[in-house]
């Protein structure tokens, strides 16, 4: 993780001072921040923290304790706090929203695991291992963990800009302590990590909505064998269309 800071004489926004008397630069997020809609609450734009709570139920049946975890994130000082359900589009939305605000330097992961999607496992693997040449998250058994709809530069920026703080399966007081630790001006120890607010990432924010190359990633082939079978099926369908004199559209 980068720990870049500006000197006191540069007068960063907010006038915050970090370790050794060095001032922390705070910047305005991109005007479109946050570009992606979702189930989240927006807090202090200059906070270094985003909170993602794994959702393991249908959106219309979100339990109250999940709602309280999301609220606790913002109430403790996070810039944005919300739920994430899938290991593809859900993570893509998090990426787009966070790279639009370079003040955010931590992603706190909380909540349960999603038995079907394994979203928490996917986020941890993504932060640790990144993606392969097909933008599939390396080292996870999550359901369709491929980030089709975000540019590679967004993926690289996110992993450079943000450090993961794993609070999955923890209660609300632990989550609140994590947020408070990340916003401290001087380093503190939290569950084996040294946390503090390092100031904004030293590059301009990105802003752009998902390109929606794939709107149903769970239906995409999982490997080359499935991909070949799909292509063969499409060819047969097209041949049948031509035989029956049907147009493609």
């Amino acid at each position: 993780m980068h720990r870049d800071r500006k000197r006191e004489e540069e007068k960063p926004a907010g006038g915050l001072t970090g370790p050794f008397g060095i001032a922390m630069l705070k910047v305005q997020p991109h005007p479109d921040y946050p570009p992606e809609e979702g189930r989240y609450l927006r807090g202090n734009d200059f906070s270094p923290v985003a909170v993602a709570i794994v959702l393991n139920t249908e959106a219309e049946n979100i339990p109250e304790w999940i709602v309280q975890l999301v609220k606790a994130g913002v109430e403790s000082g996070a810039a944005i706090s919300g739920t994430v359900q899938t290991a593809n589009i859900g993570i893509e939305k998090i990426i787009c929203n966070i790279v639009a605000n370079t003040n955010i330097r931590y992603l706190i992961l909380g909540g349960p695991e999603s038995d079907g999607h394994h979203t928490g496992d996917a986020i941890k693997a993504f932060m640790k291992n990144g993606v392969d040449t097909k933008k599939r998250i390396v080292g996870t058994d999550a359901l369709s963990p491929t980030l089709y709809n975000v540019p590679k530069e967004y993926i690289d920026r996110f992993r450079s800009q943000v450090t993961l703080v794993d609070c999955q399966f923890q209660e609300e007081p632990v989550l609140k302590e994590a947020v408070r630790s990340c916003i401290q001006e001087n380093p503190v120890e939290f569950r084996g990590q040294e946390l503090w607010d390092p100031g904004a990432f030293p590059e301009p924010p990105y802003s752009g909505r998902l390109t929606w190359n794939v709107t149903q990633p769970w239906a995409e082939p999982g490997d080359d064998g499935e991909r070949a079978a799909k292509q063969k099926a499409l060819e047969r369908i097209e041949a049948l269309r031509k035989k029956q004199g049907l147009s493609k559209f």
Side-chain angles (χ1 to χ4, degrees):
M1 177 178 179
H2 297 271
R3 298 292 190 185
D4 304 87
R5 301 180 182 83
K6 299 293 184 181
R7 296 289 177 181
E8 288 275 6
E9 55 267 22
E10 290 189 49
K11 298 181 180 179
L16 300 176
T17 302
F20 317 113
I22 298 175
M24 293 180 290
L25 178 65
K26 293 292 182 178
V27 300
Q28 292 290 338
H30 191 280
D32 294 334
Y33 165 79
E36 282 295 329
E37 296 180 353
R39 294 182 295 271
Y40 56 75
L41 300 174
R42 184 171 172 179
N44 178 7
D45 289 351
F46 298 105
S47 170
V49 189
V51 175
I53 305 299
V54 175
L55 179 61
N56 63 351
T57 65
E58 295 298 326
E60 60 270 19
N61 296 316
I62 300 177
E64 183 60 27
W65 69 275
I66 292 284
V67 174
Q68 289 304 316
L69 283 177
V70 172
K71 289 181 179 179
V74 166
E75 291 168 357
S76 300
I80 191 168
S81 180
T83 60
V84 57
Q85 190 165 28
T86 62
N88 36 68
I89 293 173
I91 296 176
E92 289 173 334
K93 287 191 172 189
I94 289 175
I95 291 172
C96 284
N97 285 339
I98 287 182
V99 299
N101 184 351
T102 56
N103 295 306
I104 298 175
R105 306 302 300 275
Y106 297 100
L107 176 64
I108 297 176
L109 176 66
E113 184 56 290
S114 173
D115 293 336
H117 297 285
H118 292 185
T119 307
D121 181 78
I123 291 173
K124 295 172 194 178
F126 172 59
M127 296 303 295
K128 180 180 180 181
N129 305 317
V131 298
D132 62 18
T133 56
K134 296 179 181 179
K135 296 198 285 189
R136 183 180 178 88
I137 297 172
V138 177
T140 180
D141 60 357
L143 180 65
S144 300
T146 306
L147 309 180
Y148 296 100
N149 301 299
V150 287
K152 183 62 162 57
E153 58 264 32
Y154 280 36
I155 292 172
D156 293 340
R157 161 63 69 81
F158 184 89
R159 296 184 67 239
S160 296
Q161 177 179 325
V162 176
T163 291
L164 180 67
V165 179
D166 183 6
C167 290
Q168 198 175 15
F169 313 113
Q170 301 300 314
E171 300 293 333
E172 183 177 322
V174 176
L175 181 75
K176 289 182 175 180
E177 182 185 354
V179 175
R180 288 192 291 264
S181 296
C182 292
I183 65 178
Q184 296 304 307
E185 296 180 9
N186 293 296
V188 297
E189 192 276 335
F190 174 79
R191 295 169 60 87
Q193 285 181 273
E194 189 177 60
L195 306 177
W196 78 91
D197 185 351
F201 188 80
E203 297 291 341
Y206 290 150
S207 184
R209 296 179 62 83
L210 299 183
T211 53
W212 298 105
N213 296 316
V214 179
T215 57
Q216 293 181 312
W218 53 88
E220 285 298 295
D223 54 35
D224 289 340
E226 292 181 8
R227 193 170 290 106
K230 178 183 178 182
Q231 183 59 35
K232 191 172 182 179
L234 290 174
E235 290 171 357
R236 287 178 177 174
I237 291 171
E238 183 61 19
L240 181 61
R241 285 178 178 276
K242 289 180 179 179
K243 184 177 179 179
Q244 296 178 345
L246 298 175
S247 64
K248 187 175 181 180
F249 300 102

